[in-house]
Amino acid sequence: SLTLSGIGLTVLVLGFSLIGAGNFVAAQFAQAAWLGWVTLAVAVAGFGLVFAGIAREVRGYLTLGTVDAVRAAHAQGDVTALRSALQDWQAGLPAGRARAQGLAEMPIDAACALVEATSLAPITRDAEALGRAAAVQAFAMTAVSPSPALDVLVFSWRGIRLVRQVAALHGLRPGIAGTLALVRRVAMDAATVAATDVAVDAALRGLLSSRLLEHVGRETAAGAVAARRMILLARAADEACRVLPRA
């Protein structure tokens, strides 16, 4: 219902905007030809950029369907569809990323194993590297942040960026809608990690006695929790973008 309502609202806004712009352009032509042409150029450029942005969002969201297609074919045991979907997925990988060759000639189990070893395993290692880099940044940002509210804001921004970076490793180019879909896929893992981290943080604070140790320990514990969340978020994002289950 929300999706249909959003699409309907978008159609109404863009539709009435186009009608209004058309009437305005016609009015400017009635005043002077050069003024009408200038107004028309501005309208075409503006609406062209808007529709280009919408088209990019749609393409980015549809790239997630490639992952779903491979997963569905693998779950159903459809060898023909799985082989074709794996080839389509490999075609969308970034330039320079290793690709398995000869998938059409080998048995499907061997093809899946080759894709895992050639493409997915290096992607997982790169995703772990991105997670470690984000963990260092999260620890530093939490240590210097003046308020918990700012911690949440900065962590959310860095976490969303990390999800997009991991998705790019898998050949996905999610826009806003695609990123939100990926974040929804890893939300359950993030919630579980958060519950565990609350317990760890409480235990660490209980072990500290003096005010100085409590303050230092609280900041260190908060930074360690944020860093650990980034590492696990990278793993969860990699799992959400994988086309084949782990062996």
Side-chain angles (χ1 to χ4, degrees):
S1 298
L2 290 177
T3 301
L4 292 176
S5 299
I7 294 174
L9 181 61
T10 302
V11 170
L12 288 174
V13 171
L14 290 177
F16 284 121
S17 297
L18 284 170
I19 294 173
N23 292 332
F24 184 70
V25 170
Q28 298 306 305
F29 269 110
Q31 296 187 19
W34 68 269
L35 186 59
W37 285 113
V38 171
T39 307
L40 179 61
V42 172
V44 170
F47 280 105
L49 291 174
V50 170
F51 286 113
I54 294 175
R56 178 176 294 183
E57 280 289 322
V58 172
R59 287 196 303 269
Y61 187 82
L62 291 179
T63 57
L64 300 179
T66 306
V67 176
D68 295 332
V70 179
R71 289 183 175 184
H74 185 273
Q76 296 169 3
D78 190 338
V79 175
T80 303
L82 177 57
R83 200 186 304 274
S84 176
L86 283 174
Q87 292 174 339
D88 292 341
W89 171 76
Q90 285 198 143
L93 289 176
R97 179 63 63 184
R99 293 168 170 81
Q101 303 297 327
L103 296 182
E105 293 79 18
M106 63 182 63
I108 192 60
D109 292 339
C112 291
L114 184 60
V115 169
E116 175 68 35
T118 304
S119 299
L120 291 176
I123 289 175
T124 296
R125 290 194 293 269
D126 291 344
E128 291 175 350
L130 288 174
R132 290 191 295 269
V136 173
Q137 295 174 0
F139 185 91
M141 290 184 294
T142 303
V144 301
S145 176
S147 68
L150 185 59
D151 289 349
V152 174
L153 181 62
V154 172
F155 181 87
S156 300
W157 167 79
R158 189 61 185 88
I160 291 175
R161 184 185 175 199
L162 177 60
V163 170
R164 289 174 59 89
Q165 289 174 326
V166 173
L169 294 177
H170 289 266
L172 306 179
R173 294 171 294 276
I176 297 175
T179 301
L180 291 177
L182 284 176
V183 170
R184 184 177 60 183
R185 291 187 182 189
V186 301
M188 186 60 67
D189 289 339
T192 303
V193 171
T196 304
D197 290 339
V198 168
V200 172
D201 185 52
L204 288 174
R205 294 189 185 192
L207 294 175
L208 301 171
S209 55
S210 68
R211 291 183 177 275
L212 177 60
L213 288 177
E214 182 181 358
H215 176 73
V216 174
R218 181 170 61 248
E219 298 301 324
T220 303
V225 167
R228 179 170 176 267
R229 286 177 179 173
M230 282 295 179
I231 292 175
L232 294 182
L233 180 61
R235 294 176 184 173
D238 178 61
E239 190 68 29
C241 296
R242 285 178 63 91
V243 293
L244 295 174
R246 296 185 187 274

